């Protein structure tokens, strides 16, 4: 398994579900990807660093489209933004679990899932929630 294979699967998921993904190879490595649920549009930065987080980053933005989260603005209350970000994280983790299951991968611990699929340690609570609740696969 390579990160590119996971990204290709996520891009195919988007095509199948009417989500447009735009990329640009000139975007700086620290420019965060974004989602516009109303337009079903993801602006995905293929240069994001660290490289191993790219599948989670794309899955997270797809999660905002699936969940129909409103765009987050810096002037909003932190608790509102955190709610939407947590929703995007959980849906992203569900997508990555779906990918894993369709490829016959079974993880014994949330940490193993995180390490394999480049999910940042700061999202451990969302990963544990999805992992231990054996969430339903997305359609």
């Amino acid at each position: 398994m390579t990160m590119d294979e996971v990204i290709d699967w996520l891009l195919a998921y988007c095509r199948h579900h009417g989500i447009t993904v735009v990329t640009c190879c000139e975007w700086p490595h620290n420019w965060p990807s974004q989602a516009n649920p109303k337009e079903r549009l993801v602006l995905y930065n293929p240069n994001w660093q660290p490289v191993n987080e790219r599948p989670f980053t794309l899955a997270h933005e797809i999660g905002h489209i699936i969940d129909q989260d409103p765009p987050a603005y810096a002037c909003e209350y932190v608790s509102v933004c955190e709610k939407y970000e947590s929703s995007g994280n959980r849906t992203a983790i569900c997508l990555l679990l779906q990918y894993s299951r369709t490829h016959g991968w079974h993880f014994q611990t949330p940490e193993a899932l995180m390490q394999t699929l480049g999910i940042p340690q700061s999202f451990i609570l969302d990963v544990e929630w999805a992992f231990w609740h054996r969430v339903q696969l997305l359609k």
Side-chain angles (χ1 to χ4, degrees):
M1 182 264 320
T2 67
M3 293 296 142
D4 287 340
E5 291 171 338
V6 179
I7 290 170
D8 288 344
W9 184 87
L10 291 167
L11 292 172
Y13 179 94
C14 288
R15 285 189 300 275
H16 183 74
H17 290 89
I19 300 170
T20 301
V21 179
V22 174
T23 65
C24 178
C25 59
E26 284 104 31
W27 288 336
H29 69 89
N30 60 347
W31 185 81
S33 296
Q34 300 175 18
N36 183 332
K38 184 177 178 183
E39 301 295 324
R40 299 188 61 77
L41 173 68
V42 171
L43 301 177
Y44 168 65
N45 184 355
N47 303 317
W48 181 254
Q49 296 293 328
V51 172
N52 68 323
E53 290 181 7
R54 290 177 186 168
F56 179 76
T57 299
L58 178 56
H60 173 87
E61 299 308 329
I62 295 167
H64 286 308
I65 304 294
I66 292 169
D67 296 341
Q68 287 295 295
D69 294 333
Y73 300 104
C75 61
E76 291 180 331
Y77 291 103
V78 172
S79 62
V80 172
C81 290
E82 286 175 355
K83 175 184 178 278
Y84 296 135
E85 291 307 304
S86 182
S87 172
N89 291 342
R90 288 181 178 185
T91 301
I93 293 159
C94 291
L95 278 170
L96 294 174
L97 282 170
Q98 183 173 339
Y99 174 86
S100 299
R101 291 173 187 160
T102 60
H103 287 80
W105 301 346
H106 302 284
F107 298 99
Q108 298 300 316
T109 64
E111 293 80 12
L113 171 71
M114 294 175 73
Q115 183 175 10
T116 301
L117 293 171
I119 302 170
Q121 186 64 33
S122 58
F123 301 129
I124 184 70
L125 295 177
D126 292 319
V127 173
E128 287 176 342
W129 174 86
F131 191 89
W132 297 120
H133 286 94
R134 303 288 187 218
V135 296
Q136 297 294 318
L137 297 180
L138 302 171
K139 294 182 182 179

